[in-house]
Amino acid sequence: MKKYIAKRFLQLIPILLGITFLSFLLTNAGASDVISLMESNTGTVMPKEQKERLRQEMGLDKPLVERYVIWLGGVLTGDMGESFVSKKPVFSTFLSKLPATVCLAGTSVLLTVALSVPLGILAAVRQNRFTDYLIRFLSFIGNSMPNFFVSLLLIYFFSLKLRLLPVMGSASGGKTVILPTLTLALAMASKYTRQVRAATLEELNKDYVQGARARGVGERRILYFSVLKSAMLTIVTLLALSIGSLLGGTAIVESIFMWDGVGKMAVDAIAMRDYPVIQAYVIWMAAIYVCVNLATDILYRYLDPRIRLGGEGF
Amino acid sequence: MEKKKTTRKQKVQKDYARQKMVFFGTLVLLLLLAAAFAPYLAPYDPYEQDLANALKPPGAAHLLGTDRYGRDMLSRVIVGAQTTIFSALSLVAIVTAIGSAVGVFCGYRGGRLDAVLMRASDVFLAFPGMVFAIAVASVMSGGVMNAALALACISWPKYARIARSQTMAIKNAPYIAAAKLSGSGPFKIIFRHVAPNIAGPIAVTAVLDIGTMIMEIAGLSFLGLGAAPPTAEWGSMMSNGRSMLQTSPWVILAPGCAIFLTVILFNLAGDTVRDLLDPRSR
């Protein structure tokens, strides 16, 4: 196990290097030069000598790879430059917005579990009956709705028509979290209900269930004590994996609901062409995603005795 | 390989899947035709402004109402189908072609280039999908094509992975060895023997991806990273109508439902293709 973890951490290094290099290339090899961008952002015309001096100050006259190494050193020490717009350090801005996104992702995952696990199991138990068809139909619909459409529909019905829930902001009490959570959870729950159903069905078709039935163990007992326990493994893995993609996928929902997290920060930064902010967003989201995936893999190995005891290799 | 006996149940299932395929295939074809001939089908010019008739609710003259410049929503939704659907289709086609080419090459040749390309695909797979697409689209200057390119950047590794593993699985099959012995060159083997045998799973993935791609292109446009405002595109139409949600919800509902119905149709068609080509995964 230790050997495996060490190996996975070593594999992480080239991936993280790749992520940072790609993000660096993306914002540096682009057609538009940073200085001209700053010029158009501030709205003042800079004389040519000043531009040249700025370029030298920012090290833009050095070759690309050298700039990358310098920049990477900055990233590792938490210095990712300043925002073109607000002139504040990017990394601390990112950190200050992160809790809001993590909170939104957390509530969404909780709601997803609360919806998809019971519904998926119910659909599996009632396979090919009305309940199953209804649940599958609903999950199919949930899968085919883009999240911006879902959020606008939710705003329309719950905030504008029924006036039950507030629409915007992350400041005013807990109620504002409901609609964005619902939006994110509906899409994810539709996906995971199907997976939970499939996992449960697979378990239900195994020999030990037949054996338990033959011995006269009650259906309920089989379901809760044996099937659910085994299916949980798949479900836990799926959910852990979804946390990573959820962290990145909240951008649209955050900007619709004015949720003051990193996703909204990135979308706002795009409108202003504030590259350092976008860069920080991409790198850290990817880093979080990779780490969560790695943690999931390790957790999965730890939880599943077949893999854990089966040997150290792949 | 041993020839499998088909049971009656399997045959019925396959016939059923075939009928479903014909049904959804026809619907998809109709949709594509509608998108292709959109300018002729639209009752009004989708770009003509008529401020006197701005934000009219759905009625006899304008079946889906008008937007804030008095443009007919129905016409805009129909013409928008062209932008959204065709960019999604070409995106899926390009990604499938590039991804499977890389995958087949890596799987067949192996070696150092395979290792390099697969590590590269690891890096792309390490980004949460939309995050990277947002970043790429923001660096490029907007437009539907650039949004599609941004999505292409992150989607090819998936196809490369599938094609590679499929190729590796059949690379050592006896019929490939037979082809080699009879003097076929690598190109002939890849196109005549490898490609037809790995096409199934790739095609299933591609068809199932169309719906997702439509939603993601519309999503990028919604964020202002795809189609620019005057263009009739579903995502940007919804984004422009956001502020009018309370007073004239049809401005949102029309393109929203258009996306929803199109995606559901492609998803149903994709599921049917999967049942037909790959009945085990059900």
Side-chain angles (χ1 to χ4, degrees):
Chain A
M1 195 67 188
K2 266 187 195 144
K3 215 169 142 192
Y4 172 74
I5 295 178
K7 197 172 167 188
R8 289 300 311 260
F9 268 101
L10 279 180
Q11 283 174 346
L12 205 58
I13 295 170
I15 293 200
L16 286 174
L17 278 178
I19 288 173
T20 48
F21 188 62
L22 212 59
S23 322
F24 179 77
L25 265 189
L26 202 64
T27 38
N28 279 271
S32 37
D33 172 48
V34 177
I35 305 289
S36 337
L37 269 174
M38 284 173 91
E39 193 182 8
S40 62
N41 264 340
T42 48
T44 46
V45 182
M46 281 187 260
K48 217 167 188 174
E49 303 85 72
Q50 197 189 339
K51 274 194 193 171
E52 280 308 316
R53 212 178 53 235
L54 259 175
R55 267 195 193 111
Q56 263 172 24
E57 254 171 48
M58 295 176 78
L60 289 177
D61 49 349
K62 291 185 183 118
L64 193 70
V65 177
E66 198 183 329
R67 267 159 57 203
Y68 168 69
V69 174
I70 294 171
W71 171 85
L72 189 64
V75 172
L76 289 176
T77 50
D79 169 26
M80 301 197 67
E82 291 173 350
S83 152
F84 292 165
V85 181
S86 67
K87 301 286 173 210
K88 283 181 192 152
V90 169
F91 188 60
S92 61
T93 316
F94 177 83
L95 279 185
S96 70
K97 307 262 182 187
L98 195 58
T101 301
V102 172
C103 160
L104 183 58
T107 52
S108 314
V109 168
L110 285 182
L111 187 60
T112 307
V113 178
L115 284 175
S116 60
V117 172
L119 285 178
I121 291 172
L122 187 66
V125 173
R126 300 275 157 97
Q127 195 194 1
N128 291 335
R129 284 201 254 165
F130 178 74
T131 325
D132 181 26
Y133 283 125
L134 184 70
I135 292 173
R136 276 159 70 190
F137 175 73
L138 290 178
S139 79
F140 205 85
I141 289 190
N143 252 336
S144 307
M145 294 256 250
N147 54 13
F148 49 94
F149 189 39
V150 175
S151 27
L152 291 174
L153 284 180
L154 288 175
I155 292 179
Y156 185 70
F157 285 112
F158 288 103
S159 305
L160 300 177
K161 285 285 146 183
L162 300 172
R163 302 197 170 278
L164 282 176
L165 297 167
V167 182
M168 270 137 203
S170 39
S172 57
K175 266 185 163 180
T176 43
V177 80
I178 297 174
L179 286 184
T181 302
L182 209 55
T183 309
L184 290 168
L186 278 181
M188 284 208 302
S190 318
K191 202 161 119 199
Y192 292 118
T193 304
R194 292 177 131 202
Q195 314 257 32
V196 172
R197 176 180 175 273
T200 316
L201 271 182
E202 205 188 310
E203 284 299 321
L204 276 176
N205 285 330
K206 280 190 179 157
D207 288 344
Y208 75 85
V209 175
Q210 288 273 316
R213 275 187 190 138
R215 288 199 308 276
V217 182
E219 253 339 274
R220 226 163 249 261
R221 210 186 143 77
I222 297 179
L223 194 65
Y224 291 134
F225 287 92
S226 312
V227 173
L228 196 56
K229 212 168 135 194
S230 318
M232 248 358 209
L233 194 65
T234 327
I235 297 163
V236 165
T237 323
L238 283 173
L239 277 171
L241 283 177
S242 74
I243 294 176
S245 57
L246 187 66
L247 282 174
T250 51
I252 296 180
V253 174
E254 277 183 15
S255 71
I256 291 179
F257 288 102
M258 296 299 204
W259 188 263
D260 200 15
V262 283
K264 183 176 168 291
M265 172 193 83
V267 173
D268 292 346
I270 287 165
M272 314 289 279
R273 303 228 147 209
D274 196 349
Y275 284 152
V277 175
I278 302 172
Q279 223 168 33
Y281 173 69
V282 176
I283 291 171
W284 285 105
M285 279 306 166
I288 293 172
Y289 186 58
V290 174
C291 291
V292 170
N293 285 358
L294 176 66
T296 315
D297 270 6
I298 292 172
L299 184 73
Y300 183 72
R301 289 198 151 234
Y302 187 71
L303 286 179
D304 191 343
R306 279 166 304 184
I307 302 179
R308 186 173 13 132
L309 304 175
E312 299 287 280
F314 275 75
Chain B
M1 233 197 279
E2 163 192 13
K3 196 167 160 108
K4 265 182 271 164
K5 237 168 92 183
T6 16
T7 60
R8 173 147 176 81
K9 198 180 162 200
Q10 278 173 330
K11 194 166 177 300
V12 169
Q13 269 175 353
K14 190 136 198 185
D15 284 349
Y16 179 58
R18 246 185 225 134
Q19 280 169 14
K20 259 176 42 182
M21 191 66 241
V22 171
F23 179 68
F24 291 125
T26 321
L27 282 183
V28 166
L29 202 67
L30 281 178
L31 183 70
L32 292 183
L33 281 176
F37 294 103
Y40 305 99
L41 286 175
Y44 295 88
D45 178 353
Y47 298 105
E48 198 189 285
Q49 302 191 358
D50 176 11
L51 290 175
N53 276 320
L55 293 175
K56 281 270 149 58
H62 298 277
L63 283 177
L64 293 178
T66 58
D67 69 1
R68 75 171 121 179
Y69 300 109
R71 296 175 293 199
D72 180 47
M73 285 307 289
L74 179 63
S75 311
R76 283 182 72 73
V77 166
I78 294 176
V79 174
Q82 207 168 25
T83 327
T84 312
I85 295 176
F86 285 141
S87 49
L89 283 181
S90 43
L91 167 62
V92 172
I94 293 171
V95 169
T96 313
I98 295 179
S100 6
V102 170
V104 170
F105 176 80
C106 287
Y108 193 76
R109 281 285 296 276
R112 194 171 286 169
L113 199 57
D114 170 40
V116 170
L117 281 170
M118 282 302 115
R119 289 296 84 74
S121 80
D122 278 346
V123 171
F124 281 99
L125 287 172
F127 287 99
M130 275 301 262
V131 170
F132 194 60
I134 286 175
V136 176
S138 68
V139 172
M140 298 196 288
S141 50
V144 191
M145 268 303 128
N146 281 346
L149 269 179
L151 288 169
C153 280
I154 51 154
S155 335
W156 69 268
K158 187 165 88 184
Y159 291 88
R161 282 294 170 88
I162 298 171
R164 179 172 177 270
S165 65
Q166 295 280 329
T167 309
M168 302 226 322
I170 64 161
K171 189 168 75 170
N172 296 321
Y175 62 87
I176 302 280
K180 264 187 206 156
L181 278 177
S182 62
S184 308
F187 275 100
K188 193 171 175 195
I189 291 179
I190 284 176
F191 283 105
R192 288 286 294 278
H193 302 289
V194 177
N197 282 303
I198 65 163
I202 295 177
V204 171
T205 317
V207 181
L208 281 171
D209 247 8
I210 297 175
T212 319
M213 293 299 184
I214 291 177
M215 290 204 280
E216 288 186 344
I217 287 186
L220 285 179
S221 295
F222 187 87
L223 287 177
L225 296 171
T231 318
E233 196 279 341
W234 294 339
S236 74
M237 280 162 74
M238 289 181 74
S239 171
N240 292 325
R242 262 162 80 179
S243 53
M244 287 158 283
L245 183 62
Q246 184 156 23
T247 46
S248 14
W250 58 89
V251 183
I252 298 286
L253 282 177
C257 291
I259 297 178
F260 170 57
L261 291 175
T262 312
V263 171
I264 229 175
L265 179 59
F266 277 109
N267 280 351
L268 285 170
D271 274 1
T272 322
V273 170
R274 187 189 52 197
D275 290 351
L276 258 185
L277 291 179
D278 191 15
R280 273 161 304 151
S281 64
R282 223 190 141 115

